[in-house]
């Protein structure tokens, strides 16, 4: 991280000098922070937040015109900025960075539903933005920030103790929501969907090509978060059931390659006896791989998906390999759990 030092006056004391240390990235992040306390992934319908862009009058105008409806935890927004500000505070001890991070933490606490879930956006409740959202690890990213806050880990020990206590309570509510939303199949827990109705906690679709389904990538993130927590009978049951589901629903003998052809991204599913992958989505009842298309249709044959969606979305991956073969066995051993 680049640190740029600004001196108010030559010959200032070491303590005063330390308070004036500024981090150029953190300074930009504070400029982008919205009044509600969170950050957006976009400034408007066209401009994506990019901290590498130099600040000019036009960009500053767009930043100042951005409303709270853009505040989100989607695509790592808000949680990324809070983590960066905490890291910057640890290096510089600049109190403004800690203050901005704490405002972001308050935003996360404010957006959490009473049932423990987190919407993708807050206060914007249009379309699928109000759904409890695991998609792209949104809720897990938020809970991880609050977990680090409550435990004083990763530099979060500097956070106001009152916020740390509130964060602990939010994490417990979040865990309850996670356990409630694990999809049951014939009385047995499987994994999780991408998004849920914020009131009923029933799995729902989001974008046209994101149907009601079991979501493998996000479920791996959920399991990893649960394995960070003190083990309870409910958490042990949830984790072991999810890992069992992954071992039973892998796709052996296939690989998924991403390349370029004539400047365009090409994604190819091919037979490969040495490879194991998982589909991005599975049918919530039958565990068959499924694929959504722009027109809202659901396909069970990858080759029937439109070319635009087939090559414009990552439909397969080695999502659970490391979890099954390395992380889960270590968790079992650490907690003296027999599988």
């Amino acid at each position: 991280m680049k640190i740029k030092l600004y001196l108010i006056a030559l010959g200032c004391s070491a303590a005063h000098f330390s308070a004036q240390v500024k981090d150029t990235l953190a300074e930009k992040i504070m400029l982008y922070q919205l009044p509600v306390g969170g950050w957006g992934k976009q400034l408007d319908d066209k401009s994506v937040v990019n901290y590498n862009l130099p600040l000019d009058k036009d960009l500053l105008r767009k930043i100042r015109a951005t409303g709270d409806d853009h505040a989100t935890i989607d695509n790592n927004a808000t949680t990324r900025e809070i983590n960066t500000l905490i890291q910057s505070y640890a290096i510089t001890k600049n109190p403004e960075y800690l203050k901005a991070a704490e405002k972001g933490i308050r935003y996360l606490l404010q957006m959490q539903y009473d049932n423990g879930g987190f919407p993708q956006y807050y206060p914007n409740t249009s379309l699928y933005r109000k759904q409890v959202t695991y998609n792209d690890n949104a809720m897990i990213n938020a809970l991880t920030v609050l977990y680090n806050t409550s435990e004083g880990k990763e530099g979060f020990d500097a956070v106001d103790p009152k916020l740390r206590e509130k964060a602990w309570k939010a994490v417990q509510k979040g865990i309850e929501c996670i356990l409630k939303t694990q999809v049951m199949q014939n009385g047995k827990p499987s994994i999780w969907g991408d998004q849920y109705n914020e009131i009923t906690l029933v799995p729902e679709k989001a974008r046209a090509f994101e149907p009601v389904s079991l979501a493998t990538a996000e479920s791996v993130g959920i399991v990893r978060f649960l394995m960070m927590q003190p083990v309870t009978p409910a958490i042990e049951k949830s984790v072991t059931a999810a890992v069992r589901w992954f071992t039973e629903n892998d796709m052996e003998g296939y690989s998924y390659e991403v390349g370029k052809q004539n400047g365009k991204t090409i994604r190819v599913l091919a037979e490969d006896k040495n490879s194991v992958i998982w589909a991005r989505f599975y049918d919530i009842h039958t565990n068959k791989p499924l694929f959504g298309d722009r027109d809202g249709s659901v396909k069970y044959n990858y080759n029937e998906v439109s070319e635009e969606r087939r090559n414009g979305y990552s439909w397969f991956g080695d999502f659970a390999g490391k979890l099954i073969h390395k992380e889960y066995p270590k968790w079992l051993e650490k907690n003296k759990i027999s599988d």
Side-chain angles (χ1 to χ4, degrees):
M1 184 180 294
K2 293 182 179 179
I3 301 296
K4 189 173 183 179
L5 306 180
Y6 292 88
L7 292 180
I8 288 182
L10 292 174
C12 58
S13 67
H16 185 68
F17 171 80
S18 177
Q20 305 308 312
V21 175
K22 293 188 178 182
D23 177 340
T24 53
L25 176 57
E27 293 291 315
K28 281 187 178 181
I29 286 174
M30 289 196 301
L31 280 175
Y32 280 82
Q33 189 169 26
L34 299 169
V36 74
W39 283 263
K41 63 178 184 178
Q42 293 176 288
L43 297 176
D44 50 39
D45 292 338
K46 297 180 180 180
S47 303
V48 176
V49 170
N50 181 356
Y51 293 114
N52 292 321
L53 292 177
L55 292 171
D56 56 29
K57 289 182 179 180
D58 184 55
L59 181 55
L60 284 171
R61 178 185 57 77
K62 287 184 179 180
I63 293 172
R64 290 166 184 158
T66 307
D68 282 341
D69 271 359
H70 285 275
T72 182
I73 54 174
D74 189 34
N75 290 8
N76 300 317
T78 298
T79 54
R80 168 189 57 194
E81 284 82 1
I82 293 172
N83 286 326
T84 301
L85 287 167
I86 288 293
Q87 293 167 7
S88 297
Y89 174 75
I91 295 171
T92 67
K93 301 304 178 187
N94 189 321
E96 294 302 312
Y97 304 157
L98 179 59
K99 182 179 177 181
E102 289 178 337
K103 185 176 180 181
I105 293 168
R106 290 189 185 93
Y107 168 75
L108 296 181
L109 293 169
Q110 185 179 5
M111 79 185 304
Q112 187 180 30
Y113 291 128
D114 290 340
N115 61 22
F118 284 78
Q120 188 183 75
Y121 280 71
Y122 178 83
N124 188 340
T125 59
S126 62
L127 301 173
Y128 52 82
R129 292 176 176 85
K130 61 184 176 181
Q131 293 174 334
V132 170
T133 304
Y134 293 119
N135 193 24
D136 291 336
N137 301 312
M139 177 166 157
I140 294 304
N141 286 343
L143 283 174
T144 300
V145 166
L146 294 174
Y147 171 75
N148 286 334
T149 299
S150 66
E151 297 293 319
K153 294 184 175 182
E154 305 295 335
F156 283 82
D157 55 310
V159 171
D160 185 334
K162 292 181 180 178
L163 270 183
R164 292 178 61 178
E165 182 178 350
K166 291 179 180 179
W168 183 86
K169 293 179 180 178
V171 170
Q172 305 317 304
K173 288 169 59 179
I175 292 171
E176 289 178 12
C177 182
I178 289 171
L179 297 176
K180 285 180 183 177
T181 52
Q182 190 167 12
V183 175
M184 301 297 289
Q185 294 179 330
N186 298 320
K188 296 181 180 180
S190 59
I191 56 174
W192 289 263
D194 253 346
Q195 48 276 318
Y196 293 73
N197 182 279
E198 69 281 4
I199 297 173
T200 65
L201 294 182
V202 171
E204 290 186 335
K205 64 174 292 183
R207 291 177 291 185
F209 52 88
E210 293 171 335
V212 174
S213 60
L214 299 176
T216 49
E218 284 76 10
S219 292
V220 168
I222 293 170
V223 172
R224 284 173 174 154
F225 179 77
L226 289 177
M227 292 195 303
M228 292 165 54
Q229 310 307 315
V231 178
T232 65
I235 287 177
E236 180 182 340
K237 179 181 178 181
S238 176
V239 169
T240 54
V243 172
R244 187 179 304 114
W245 186 95
F246 278 117
T247 60
E248 293 174 352
N249 292 280
D250 62 0
M251 296 176 59
E252 299 179 11
Y254 287 92
S255 64
Y256 187 56
E257 302 297 332
V258 181
K260 292 285 186 180
Q261 187 175 22
N262 298 325
K264 294 183 178 181
T265 299
I266 301 295
R267 302 176 192 269
V268 179
L269 177 66
E271 292 187 7
D272 183 345
K273 64 180 182 179
N274 297 316
S275 179
V276 176
I277 58 175
W278 284 263
R280 177 74 175 79
F281 299 125
Y282 284 77
D283 187 283
I284 207 163
H285 302 294
T286 66
N287 292 331
K288 292 182 179 179
L290 61 78
F291 315 92
D293 221 327
R294 283 285 186 191
D295 61 1
S297 63
V298 175
K299 309 287 198 310
Y300 290 89
N301 184 333
Y302 174 63
N303 292 318
E304 293 178 0
V305 179
S306 66
E307 182 180 353
E308 182 272 331
R309 275 299 79 193
R310 194 166 63 247
N311 293 316
Y313 199 78
S314 186
W315 293 106
F316 302 91
D318 180 19
F319 301 121
K322 186 177 179 181
L323 172 68
I324 291 172
H325 300 297
K326 294 183 178 180
E327 297 166 345
Y328 179 62
K330 287 182 180 179
W331 180 79
L332 291 174
E333 183 179 0
K334 177 184 176 182
N335 293 287
K336 297 179 172 58
I337 299 172
S338 56
D339 191 10

